[in-house]
Amino acid sequence: MGGVMAASSSLHHFLLLLLSSILFLTSCLAAPTDILYRVPEEQPPNSLIGSLASDQGLPDSGHLYKLEVGAPYLRVDGKTGDIYTTEVPIDRETLKDCRNLFDDDKCFLEFEVSITDMVKGIGSGPRLIEGRIEILDINDNTPQFSSPVLTLSIPENTHVGALFSIPMANDKDSGVNGVDRYSLSTRDDFEQLFSLQVATDSDEKVPQLVVMGNLDREAKESYDMNILVVDGGTPERQSSALLRVIITDQNDNAPKFEKSHYEANLLENSPLGHSVIQVRATDADSGVNAEIDYALHQASDTVQRLLRIDRSTGVIYVKGPVDREEENFLKFFVVARDRGPNSKSSKVLVTVIIKDQNDNFPAIEIRGIGLVTHHNGVANISEDMPIGTPVALVQVSDRDEGENAVVTCVVAGDVPFQLRPASESTNDRKRKYFLQTTTLLDFERVKDYRIEIVAVDSGNPALSSTNSLKVQVTDINDNAPTFSPAVFEVDFHEENQPGDKVLDVIAADADSGLNAELVYSIVDANARRLFEIDSSTGEIRVKNLLDREETERYEFRVAAADKGVPIKTGTATVVINVLDRNDNDPKFMLSSYSFSVIENMPPLNPVGVVTVSDADKGENARVKLFVEPENGKFFIQNGTGTILSSISFDREKESTYTFRLKAVDSGDPPRSSYAGVTINVLDENDNAPYVTKPSNSSYTFLTPLTPPETTIEVVEAEDIDSGPNSDLVFTITGGNPYGLFHISPSNGEITLAQEFTGKHNGLHRLVVKVSDKGKPQRHTTALVHVYVNDTKSNVSQIEALVGHSLYTPLDHDIAGDPNYILAQRNTHIVYGCLAGLAGVIMVIVIVVVLRQRLQKDTKSGYQAGKKESKDLYAPKQGPKNNKAKKTKKGKAPKPAKPLEEDEEASLQKGLKFNLINDNVNDSPRIHLPLNYPPGSPDLGRHYRSNSPLPSIQLQPQSPSASKKHQAVQDLPATNTFVGDNNSTGSDQYSDYSYKAPKYNNKQVGDYANTPMYNNHNIYWTNRVW
C-alpha cells in the first residue's frame, strides 16, 4: 500500500503540470445518477428495497451483480440485482451522515453495485452502478426531558399572565415524529394559579408556564406538577417529568438578549481559545438583579467538547480541535440568568458554521471489482485476458470541500495499464476509476507489474498522495491433450471373463509440467458400468460379461485431462464389436395376441399379423411359424406373420376362436417358443329386430272416456345382434293421423296423447316401426290395433275389422269412424256433379251450333251434275270386324305407365305375387260397416276361413314395396315386416286418403262387385274404412 505524504512545492508544480496535460483522458465528470430508493428505517432483515434489473432496465440474466459499497446494511442478489436489508438494522438516528441533520434535511445511504457480463467474461469489464437510498424516519424514539425533575423559579407577586419558559423535551425523530404537544397535570387548586402555553420558536415548540393567580411565598414556597410531552408519530410516544415551581422573592425583570438568533463562521483547525462569537443580554433591574451569568443550554456532547462560554462576558471560545470533516455545523442554546435572589433567565439559539481548510490529503482506495479479487494488495490476472480488462476499482476522495476536494489522479510509470472513469457521480470529493489493461499480457515476457497511482487535489497549497497495486500475470494452460488415432476400433468375443483386456489408448500433451500430466477416464456413464480404464496408462478392460444379443456394438468416448488450471481435455472414440453366438429362442412380440374380425368375412382373408424375432444372427435368426392344433380353420404365412382364415365367420354361431402359434428357428439344435391367439368375431348388423309382443292380430279395447297418459300397449322386440346393432328405437309410422297416440322411443310403451272425440270411435291400426342403431340400419314393422267404443259386445265384428286390417295397405290409415270423411266427400260430389252437368250441356250446345254451320257450308258448296261418293253425314265405320274392341271382364283401359313401374315390377318379383295391373285405373276397397245389425255372423271366423284373396307372407330381408303400393295380407298372428331405411312411413300419408294399389284383372273380376261374405253389408268400395 502506498503511503500518504505531504508534497513539496516543486513536486506540486510538477504534478499539476503533468495532470493538466492528461486531464481530458481521466476526467471524472459524468452524468448524475438517478437511482434513488426510499425505505423506512428499522426494516426487518431480507426486506426488498428495490430491483436494479426490473426497476432500472438492467440485465436480468447472464450477469453478476456485486455490492461494492453499502455493507453491512445492504446485500445484493447476484443474479437479479435485488437489493435487500441485512441483519444489521438501518437506524436513521445512528447513521454517521444523518446524526446532525436539521428537521428538513433528508438522510441518505449510498450504495455501489458492479455488473459483470458472465457470457463475455471478465475481459468485457464490469459496469459500476451508483445510487442512494433515502432513509425515512419512523417513530422509534420517545421524546425525553433533560431531567426527570424540572425546576422553575418564579418570583412572588408576579403579575397574572406572566410567561416562564420550561426546558424543552428532545426527540431524536424528525418531522411529524418529533415533539407534537405538551400538557400539564396539576391539582385542582393549582389550576387557578398555573396553566400551560406552547410557543413556536425556530420551528421548535417551547412550553411556557402561565401565571394565572397571585403567588405568595409566605403562603406556599413550591408547587409540584407533572408535565407530559407527546410526539406526532403513529402510534404516539410520550414521557413526563416533574415540574417543580419554586416561589422566590421579588425580581422584576429577566435578562434580554440583543438578538433573537446568533450565527457565526468558524474555520476548522482554529487554535484553542479562539473567540468564535459573543452573545449579550441586558437586565432592566439594578444591583445583583442586573448582573448576568451565561451558560450553554441543551448543548450536545460534541458542542460541549468543542466550545466553551465565558460566564460573565458571553464570549464563546474554541475548547477542542475543530474538524469540519467530523462536524460541519454546531447548534445549541445559550441561557442568560441574573444573579438576583429570585433569578430570572432567558435563552437564545446559536448556530456555528464550520468552514473548510485544505487539511486532508487525497485518499486512494484500491479494491477488487466484480470477479477480480485482491489478496494482500496483489491482483492476479491471466495472460489471455483481452485489452481493456479491469483489474481493480480505484476510488479517489478528499474529505475537504470545494476546490480543496477536486482531485486528479494518474498512473505513474510505463506500464500497460490506465485509469478509465467508472463512476457516474458528479461528486468532486469521491471519484471512481477502473484500472484496466492497455495491451495483451504475456506471462513468458513479464510475470508481474507494480502499478503506482498518484492523486493531487486542487487546494492551495495542493496536497497529493500515492498508492500502489501489484498485478501478477498467471500462466494459462493453452494446449489440450490429443489422441492418435482419434478412433480406436476392436473386435471382442462375447462370453468373456470379467477383467479381460480390450485395448490400450494413448494421448499426448504439448504443454509441460502439470499441464502435461494426463489422467485418463471414460466419459460416458453407461460405458463405465461395463468397462474400466487405468487413469495413468489408458488400458481398457471389461468389467462384466458381454452379450451380443443385448448390445452388438459399444461405442463410447475416453478422455485425457491434464492437471493444468484450467484443465484441458482431449477425447477419442472407442468402438468395440461383439462377436455373436446362438443362445436365444425365437420371441414373439407379445405372449398372447387378440384380434377382432367382422362376421360374414369371406375365407382366405387376413385375420391378424404377429411379429416374432430372434436376437441371434444368420441361420439362428431364421424363424418358421406353425398353427397348433392344425384343424384347418386357420393357417399362417411365414415371412409376413399374417394369419389367414379358411372359414367364414358367424358371430351368432361362434364368437371366439383360440389356438396357439409355434415359432422355430433354424439353429442347431433349433429353439422354439409359443404364443396364444384369440380371434374375436365382431358383430355385423345382419339381423333385423323381431317383435315378440303384441301379435299383429291382437287388439286393445278402450272406451271413449279413457284419459290421456293411459298406457295402451307395450311393443316388445328383440335383436340377436349385439352392441348398437341390438339397441332398438320405436316409432309410429302410420295409423295415427290425429296424433292420438304416443310411443316411447326407448321402451315401446304406447300411451294415449289426447282425449277421444266422436270421430275417433272405431278401429285404429298403429303401424309401429322398430329399428336398430346399426349401420346400415335394419327394422321391422308391427301392427297394434286399438278399438275405441263404449262397449265391445260384438267381438266377431271387432275381429273381422282386425282381420281385414291385415290385408289393408300400410299406407292407408285405419283410424276410427270414416263417416265423417264420407259426409264431407258427398258434398264435394254433389258440387262436382252439378259442375259436370253444366259442362255437358255446354258441350252439346257447342256441337249443335257447329253442326248447323257445317250443313250450311256443305249446301253452299254443292255442284250440279256431280255425284257425291260418300255421305258426309253418315257415321264413321268401325274396325274391319265392325265390332268395338272389348276389354276383359272388369278390366279398365290401360293408363299411362307410371314412373314406379320398374319399382313395382321389382316388388312383384321379390314377393312372387302380382299385386299390380296396369289396366286397372283404381282398386276396389273393402267396406266393413261399423254397426252390425243384431244376429250378424262371426265375420272374423268367416274371414279367416273364406278370405277370397290369396295370402302373402313377407319374409325378412325381402325388398319392401314402394310407399304407394305396400300391402299386408293374411299375416300370421306373430308375423312382422322387416325392411331397410326405404320402408314406408306414415309421415307421407294424408288422413284417410292414399293411391290405391293396382290388382290384376283376375282379382278384380272375381271379387270386384260381388259380396265377400254371407253378410252382404261387407263389400269392396273405393272409399276408406
Side-chain angles (χ1 to χ4, degrees), residues 729-836:
V729 178
F730 300 84
T731 56
I732 296 177
T733 61
N736 192 26
Y738 301 111
L740 294 174
F741 305 99
H742 172 265
I743 189 168
S744 172
S746 59
N747 59 24
E749 181 183 36
I750 301 175
T751 56
L752 184 62
Q754 55 181 292
E755 295 180 352
F756 293 120
T757 62
K759 66 179 180 179
H760 299 148
N761 289 347
L763 182 65
H764 296 259
R765 182 188 67 180
L766 302 179
V767 181
V768 177
K769 180 181 178 182
V770 184
S771 306
D772 61 26
K773 295 183 180 179
K775 291 185 179 180
Q777 190 181 67
R778 294 182 178 272
H779 71 273
T780 187
T781 304
L783 301 182
V784 178
H785 295 88
V786 180
Y787 184 73
V788 181
N789 199 14
D790 293 327
T791 63
K792 61 172 184 176
S793 59
N794 194 340
V795 177
S796 298
Q797 177 188 0
I798 301 174
E799 292 178 350
L801 292 174
V802 173
H804 235 293
S805 75
L806 300 178
Y807 295 92
T808 304
L810 297 181
D811 57 355
H812 173 48
D813 287 339
I814 300 175
D817 187 359
N819 292 331
Y820 280 84
I821 304 300
L822 293 176
Q824 295 176 359
R825 289 185 177 179
N826 290 337
T827 302
H828 295 308
I829 291 172
V830 171
Y831 290 140
C833 291
L834 294 176

Side-chain angles (χ1 to χ4, degrees), residues 809 811 900 903-904 961-967 984 988-989 994-998:
D811 57 355
E900 293 89 350
E903 180 183 357
E904 292 172 354
S962 66
K963 296 181 179 180
K964 296 183 179 180
H965 305 290
Q966 186 173 354
T984 184
Q988 300 183 15
Y989 310 145
Y994 73 108
K995 275 192 175 181
K998 302 171 183 177

Side-chain angles (χ1 to χ4, degrees), residues 424-439:
E424 298 179 354
S425 174
T426 58
N427 186 0
D428 291 335
R429 296 178 54 251
K430 186 183 295 184
R431 298 183 179 182
K432 298 180 179 65
Y433 303 88
F434 287 128
L435 179 63
Q436 62 185 24
T437 60
T438 57
T439 61

